[in-house]
Amino acid sequence: MWRVRRELAVFKILGALACAGLAVFWYVGGDVRGVILAVPAAALVGAMGLRDLLVPVRLAADEDGITVVHGYAGRRHVPWERIEDVKVDVRRRWGLRSEMLEIDTGDHLHIFSAHDLGASPTEVAAALRRRGA
């Protein structure tokens, strides 16, 4: 079972509260442009943090297959035989390296970052391949 680290969810919620506080501050000060920027930022970061709290487990594997988060907070079970490919997409940009786990089920491509999994996508891909994908 791979999940979002709890600290990340807490930081997102704190960021949303900070943006909301800035919106109130700017509203009281009469700065409409600041409010227009801070309110959507608070909503977006808050929604991301709420998702991390509601659905912390993004990927789970068992003997029957995998269960992935689908949509905002839905879950989908995929049997091992329906998984066509498990790979890690590695990109380098501006001196930084990023990895994304890609699970291809034919009709859907499920993509997970290291932040979604709380682990290295390379390690997770290896574990899934050992398990049955």
Side-chain angles (χ1 to χ4, degrees), residues 84-102:
E84 295 181 4
D85 193 19
V86 175
K87 68 179 183 176
V88 178
D89 181 36
V90 178
R91 306 264 172 144
R92 295 182 192 278
R93 181 173 223 154
W94 298 323
L96 298 175
R97 181 177 188 268
S98 67
E99 296 180 341
M100 300 293 276
L101 175 66
E102 297 179 356

Side-chain angles (χ1 to χ4, degrees), residues 29-93:
D31 184 4
V32 177
R33 289 179 292 181
V35 174
I36 290 171
L37 290 174
V39 169
L44 179 63
V45 176
M48 290 168 40
L50 184 61
R51 180 180 189 222
D52 290 351
L53 291 177
L54 293 175
V55 190
V57 176
R58 301 301 165 98
L59 175 65
D62 58 22
E63 58 276 347
D64 297 329
I66 62 171
T67 303
V68 296
V69 170
H70 185 73
Y72 185 76
R75 297 185 191 278
R76 173 176 284 166
H77 182 76
V78 180
W80 288 115
E81 57 271 4
R82 297 225 15 239
I83 298 174
E84 295 181 4
D85 193 19
V86 175
K87 68 179 183 176
V88 178
D89 181 36
V90 178
R91 306 264 172 144
R92 295 182 192 278
R93 181 173 223 154

Side-chain angles (χ1 to χ4, degrees), residues 3 5 10 17 28 37 40 52 57 85 100 104 108 122 124:
R3 62 187 314 128
R5 291 184 11 231
V10 169
L17 292 173
V28 170
L37 290 174
D52 290 351
V57 176
D85 193 19
M100 300 293 276
D104 187 1
H108 289 92
T122 302
V124 175

